[in-house]
Amino acid sequence: MGSVIGEILPLALGIAISPIPVIAAILMLLSPKARGTSVGFLLGWVLGIVVAVVVFTLLSSILPQGDADDPKPIAGVIKIVLGAGLLLLAVKQWRGRPKDGAEPAMPKWMSAIDTMTPGRGLVLGFLLSGLNPKNLLMGVAAGLAIGSESLDVGGIVVSIVVFTVIAASTVAVPVIAYLVATSRMTGPLESLRKWLVHNNATVMAVLLLVIGVVLIGKGMGSF
C-alpha cells in the first residue's frame, strides 16, 4: 500500500493546490452568510473528490491484473494520455497569465457569492471538485493507481481517505480556522485571497507541468 500512497500523494496535492476553489472559499468566509455557505462549499468539495476517486477506482479495478513486475500496457497508455492532458492544461494556464500590472480576470460566478445559500455553496463545491477537468484527470489517475493494485478493501479505503484528506485540506483549513477564530482570520484571509488572485495561473501551470511529466514517466514505465 505504501507505493500506492506515494503515487497518489502528488495527485492529491494537484487538487489541493488549486487557487480558484480556495479563493471561492475565502470569499464565502468574507460574505454575510459566511458560516453556512462555507461549510456547504466544503462538504460539496469533499463529496466531489470522494465520488470521483471512488468511481475511477472501481472502473480501474476491471483492468487486466498481473504480477507486480508484469507490463501493464493499458494502464501505461491511460497514464500517458492523462499526463498529456495535464501538460495541455499547463500550457493553457501559462498563456492565460495576466500581464504585468493588469488585474486578473476571475470567473463571473464569484460575483454571486455574497448572495449564495449553503445549498448552492454545496453544489458549487461539488462541481469545482468533481467535474473540473483538471481535478477529473487527477481523480482518474488516483483511481487508476488505487484500483490497479491488488489491495484489500481496507487498503483501498485507507488510500481513498488519505487522498481525500490531502486534496480537500486547502479548502478545509481556512474554513475550519475561520469557524474557530472568526475575528482573527479576516485580515489573513483577505491577504491570501489577493495573493492567490494574482498568482493563480502561474501556480497551476507549474503544478500541472510537474504532475503531467511524472504521469507520462510512470506511464512509460508500465510497458
Side-chain angles (χ1 to χ4, degrees), residues 45-68:
W45 179 253
V46 172
L47 181 61
I49 294 170
V50 171
V51 169
V53 71
V54 167
V55 167
F56 291 117
T57 295
L58 294 175
L59 290 176
S60 63
S61 65
I62 66 176
L63 294 176
Q65 301 293 319
D67 295 333

Side-chain angles (χ1 to χ4, degrees), residues 22-204:
V22 178
I23 293 171
I26 292 173
L27 289 176
M28 290 178 186
L29 294 172
L30 298 175
S31 70
K33 301 177 182 178
R35 290 180 178 272
T37 307
S38 61
V39 170
F41 181 78
L42 174 58
L43 292 176
W45 179 253
V46 172
L47 181 61
I49 294 170
V50 171
V51 169
V53 71
V54 167
V55 167
F56 291 117
T57 295
L58 294 175
L59 290 176
S60 63
S61 65
I62 66 176
L63 294 176
Q65 301 293 319
D67 295 333
D69 296 330
D70 289 346
K72 298 178 180 178
I74 297 178
V77 170
I78 294 174
K79 289 178 181 179
I80 291 173
V81 171
L82 293 174
L86 291 176
L87 292 182
L88 290 175
L89 288 176
V91 172
K92 181 180 178 181
Q93 288 284 342
W94 185 260
R95 295 181 63 181
R97 290 175 302 149
K99 296 181 179 179
D100 292 340
E103 187 66 23
M106 301 305 294
K108 293 182 180 179
W109 51 261
M110 284 192 176
S111 62
I113 284 181
D114 281 351
T115 59
M116 195 169 287
T117 63
R120 290 183 178 179
L122 187 148
V123 172
L124 177 61
F126 181 85
L127 293 176
L128 287 178
S129 63
L131 300 182
N132 177 280
K134 183 263 296 182
N135 290 351
L136 269 180
L137 291 175
M138 301 288 185
V140 173
L144 180 63
I146 297 170
S148 61
E149 296 293 332
S150 301
L151 297 177
D152 56 20
V153 175
I156 291 174
V157 171
V158 170
S159 299
I160 291 175
V161 169
V162 170
F163 180 82
T164 303
V165 169
I166 295 174
S169 61
T170 49
V171 171
V173 168
V175 172
I176 294 173
Y178 180 87
L179 296 177
V180 173
T182 302
S183 60
R184 289 183 291 177
M185 289 303 299
T186 302
L189 286 174
E190 178 60 25
S191 298
L192 177 60
R193 183 195 68 80
K194 290 180 179 178
W195 187 89
L196 290 172
V197 165
H198 286 85
N199 294 277
N200 167 45
T202 302
V203 170
M204 288 312 306

